[in-house]
Amino acid sequence: MSEPAPPLRLAAVERHYRTEAGELPVLQGADLTLEAGEIVALVAPSGTGKSTLLHLAGLLERPDAGEVFIAGQAAGTLSDDARTAIRRNSIGFVYQFHHLLPEFTALENVLLPQMAAGVARAAAEARAHTLLAAFGLTGREHHRPGRLSGGEQQRVAIARALANAPRILLADEPTGNLDVGTSGRVFAELLDAVRNHGVAALIATHNPELAARMDRVVTLRDGHVVAG
């Protein structure tokens, strides 16, 4: 039997932006493969294309050249609806700022993405309880984000990202808005959750100590992905 396709593969991806000064090349033939259960740190200076790479990997942007493969499926020419379906079912996102819906409780923030994907409410609620408990939030499920600490809010955001059992987790400075102590604890919980779920994760961070806890480190140089 052939080996399953990796959850994420970027092949010779290029991305350029038009500016008043002319065309700005950001990615120029970037290649990256993530295997199931692998956690990769993306450590690169600001302005080198880190967010662009994450946006392309998450199908939030289309490459100007090259291709993004999700579990072996080329996504570049898919319709917007098809790309949205892949994002909803196969990709989880965690950002520096939690972006929780303030009018909903922690539990509701985690079950809503599941219901949007067609999961029955009872099953969605059960999974939300399980995920929140795994992040130490038992007893906080019915609190709205405004009543949670920064670390608790980010734990809810990570639980939400994992709610639909994604193949891929993309995180952009997921603990960058937390103090050092809270950052370390939340990051450890994130790593444990990703490993336990066998998710392929690409995590952008400026923190070398956090990067060293991942399986490997990559950076961006002259528009290419290279070993860190």
Side-chain angles (χ1 to χ4, degrees), residues 30-215:
D31 296 293
L32 178 65
T33 298
L34 294 187
E35 301 292 346
E38 183 182 31
I39 304 174
V40 177
L42 175 60
V43 180
S46 297
T48 57
K50 192 170 51 191
S51 294
T52 297
L53 184 72
L54 289 170
H55 289 169
L56 290 171
L59 309 188
L60 296 172
E61 296 184 29
R62 294 180 188 265
D64 295 311
E67 187 56 274
V68 177
F69 295 90
I70 306 296
Q73 180 179 20
T77 58
L78 294 177
S79 69
D80 288 342
D81 287 347
R83 288 165 63 89
T84 297
I86 292 175
R87 282 198 303 272
R88 182 177 61 236
N89 298 322
S90 298
I91 304 173
F93 297 90
V94 183
Y95 299 99
Q96 180 174 349
F97 300 97
H98 55 77
H99 296 303
L100 298 174
L101 298 172
E103 67 272 28
F104 293 103
T105 66
L107 184 72
E108 290 167 338
N109 267 279
V110 180
L111 70 84
L112 284 172
Q114 300 177 72
M115 294 181 66
V119 178
R121 183 182 179 93
E125 192 165 327
R127 179 163 175 77
H129 276 291
T130 298
L131 284 168
L132 291 171
F135 285 101
L137 291 168
T138 299
R140 309 290 280 171
E141 302 98 324
H142 300 292
H143 288 65
R144 293 183 180 177
R147 295 183 58 199
L148 300 174
S149 69
E152 288 172 335
Q153 291 171 345
Q154 199 64 333
R155 287 180 173 97
V156 175
I158 296 168
R160 179 182 61 185
L162 296 171
N164 284 334
R167 296 172 182 265
I168 302 159
L169 181 77
L170 303 173
D172 193 358
E173 300 287 348
T175 60
N177 198 40
L178 305 176
D179 63 73
V180 174
T182 303
S183 171
R185 289 192 298 273
V186 172
F187 193 78
E189 292 171 351
L190 170 61
L191 292 185
D192 285 344
V194 168
R195 293 192 196 283
N196 290 338
H197 288 83
V199 178
L202 180 62
I203 301 177
T205 179
H206 282 107
N207 189 324
E209 293 181 2
L210 297 184
R213 295 163 66 179
M214 299 186 229
D215 298 323

